[in-house]
Every structure is written in structure tokens, then in C-alpha cells.
Amino acid sequence: MSDLLGRRTVLRSFAVGAAVAAAGCSPMRSGSADTFVLRFSHVTTAKTPKGKAAEYFKRLLEERTGGRIRVELYPNSELYGDKDEMQAIQSNSIQMLAPASAKFTTVAPSIQVLDLPFVFDSPAEVPQVVTKSSTVGKAIYANTDVEKRGMKVLGLWDSGMKQIHSNNRTVAASDMKGKKYRIQPSDILRTQFEKWGGVPTPLAFAEVYSGLQQGLIDGGENTYSNIESQKMHTVQKFIAELNHGYIGYVHVINKKFFDSLPADLQGVVVKTADDAAAFNRKESIAGNEASKQTIEAAGGTKIVVPTSSELKALKNLVMPSVYETYRSVIGSDIVDELLRRERGRAL
């Protein structure tokens, strides 16, 4: 693993250097005034739903623009990782990202609505709740904080529903007490794990495997596809299928770059982003199921499904208390809408 991290560090250093050098010449255009280079960086492997959607976006956009926009993909933290990708897009060192909503904690706090526990029962509910005209959707698509930071939201991609991976059977808060769980850097996720008795530990995605292997953390939460693609299950004995949270990727483009495009190309980018989001949603559902089957077939990790009473007990510890804690951050209208929806589901 140390050799792999070493190679990744060398590759990232080389790529970053090349990107910075290119940015110094012209970050937005290639050889001709009518041809543009769009650098798209992300932290997952090419085989994940995000990775496949990025490949799909690249292929479709280059075809539809006749090569007037060329997309350079940098998956698996090759160019920028969790710690620096948000700064990179704001500075236009890269032009596109699809970071998890948790990454927007300090940039656009209301987007943390997607981090709230038990917002969705399944990914199928996401497009019903998060539309461009819904209260929740407007917090994402029409977010003025995002625009002030030099980004434009193009869409929402799914990673899927989160599960707890650990070395002990985890179906109750007592199972989590005092154990360190890797979380994304989100205040809501921190509060969630604290209410469950765990010790939330922010850690870069690329560092989770080694953190588990070395015992720096006891477990974490993620989708099946991310757990399997990063081989986290090979160093964890259990996965608790809680479906307690959702990982959504906010597909953004640097606004300066977008505004520099001719109007016809802007339209193609927006349409292609919509199509990539639809493609991603299908890939997310299929990819997570395939990854679950792969984990089960490997035989080293037991998947535990909690009873309805066990799940309800966990839910009662974070709902509605976490929602109320972050009411002023997310917005009262959004929190009220989600709690009304939850009451309707409970009837």
C-alpha cells in the first residue's frame, strides 16, 4: 500500500505541476480561439458510478461539440484530492468537479441538506424531492453562495445510500460508542456520529483504506460501490446495511470558464450535464448492487441488516434533533418541508 501511495503522490505532483503550468498559459483554451480544454478532476476510481458518469460526460460532450470542447479526466485523486479540489476549481486550475455535498460545508452551508440523516429511503426518491423548482432543489441549483465562489451548479449525481463498515457488528448506538469513524468534513455528519456515541474523524477519501489497515480509524460510512472499489471491505469484518444517509455529488463547473464559452456551447454543456446525471443515476443503482454482490462473494465481510426496531432506535437519536440543530444553516423552509414529508411517510 505504501508503494501505491508513493506512486499516487508522484503522479499527483506531476499532474498538478503540469496543470499549473498550463493554467499559466491559458486555462480555458487550447490551440485555437474556438477550442476549449475542460479539466475534470474527481476522487473516485473510473469504475464507480461517478467515474463512469464522468467518462460518459466526456464522450458525449466531445461528440456533441465536434471537439470544440476537449475534456481531460483526472480520476482517483490523480490531480486533486479531497483537501484541495474545492480550492482548485475556485481558482480555475480545473474547470469541473463532482464533489460530495459534504465538501460544501464552508463554501455553501445550505447544501448540507443532502447530508441530513434519513432524508431518503432510496436513490429513487432523490429526483422526486430534489428538482430545480422544489424548495430543497433551489438550495442546490440556485445557491447564491456557490455562485459567489465562482461555480455554477449543473446537476446532482448519485453515489447512493450509505452503509456503516466496521470490525464489529453495528446495529445500535452502543456498538458505536468510543469508536472512530471516518466521515467527510461535514458538521452535520459530525453531529450525527456524536449522537450515536461514535468519534467522527474527518479523513481524505484516498486515505481511508490505509487508515483502516493501520487502525487509525475503526470504520466509516460509504456506499457499496465506494467501499468495494477502494477495497475497504478487505480490512473490515462487517457492513451494516443501514441506508441511513445519502451521498450526492454536486456537479459544478467554474463559472468564469462557463461564461467564456459561446452561447451554443453553454447550451450543449447544460444538456450534456442533464444527460450525464440521468446516466449516473442508473449506474449508481446497478453499480452499488454489483459491488454488494462482489463483497458478499469475497466472503470476508458479513453484511448485517438491522431489524426495523433497531433502525428506528438509531433514527430516533438523530431525527428531528439534527435537523433542528442545523435549521438556521440549512433554512427553516427546507427543514419544515423535510419534516412534513417525514411525518407523511410515517402515517
Side-chain angles (χ1 to χ4, degrees), residues 332-345:
S332 286
D333 55 340
I334 297 173
V335 170
D336 287 342
E337 180 177 298
L338 291 174
L339 292 179
R340 280 195 301 270
R341 177 172 173 271
E342 176 59 25
R343 288 192 292 271
R345 288 195 297 182

Side-chain angles (χ1 to χ4, degrees), residues 272-293:
T272 304
D274 288 342
D275 292 340
F279 172 87
N280 160 264
R281 186 151 287 124
K282 293 178 182 178
E283 283 295 323
S284 174
I285 294 170
N288 278 298
E289 182 57 35
S291 290
K292 178 181 177 179
Q293 292 177 9

Side-chain angles (χ1 to χ4, degrees), residues 239-262:
I239 294 176
E241 190 171 280
L242 302 183
N243 292 321
H244 61 282
Y246 163 77
I247 294 183
Y249 300 127
V250 184
H251 188 200
V252 291
I253 188 168
N254 177 274
K255 194 172 185 304
K256 181 180 179 182
F257 174 82
F258 182 82
D259 290 344
S260 76
L261 298 174

Side-chain angles (χ1 to χ4, degrees), residues 77-98:
S77 302
E78 287 178 1
L79 188 56
Y80 293 101
D82 280 328
K83 296 177 181 178
D84 49 15
E85 65 175 5
M86 292 299 289
Q87 181 57 45
I89 192 168
Q90 290 176 69
S91 66
N92 205 21
S93 296
I94 51 173
Q95 288 70 53
M96 184 167 284
L97 287 178

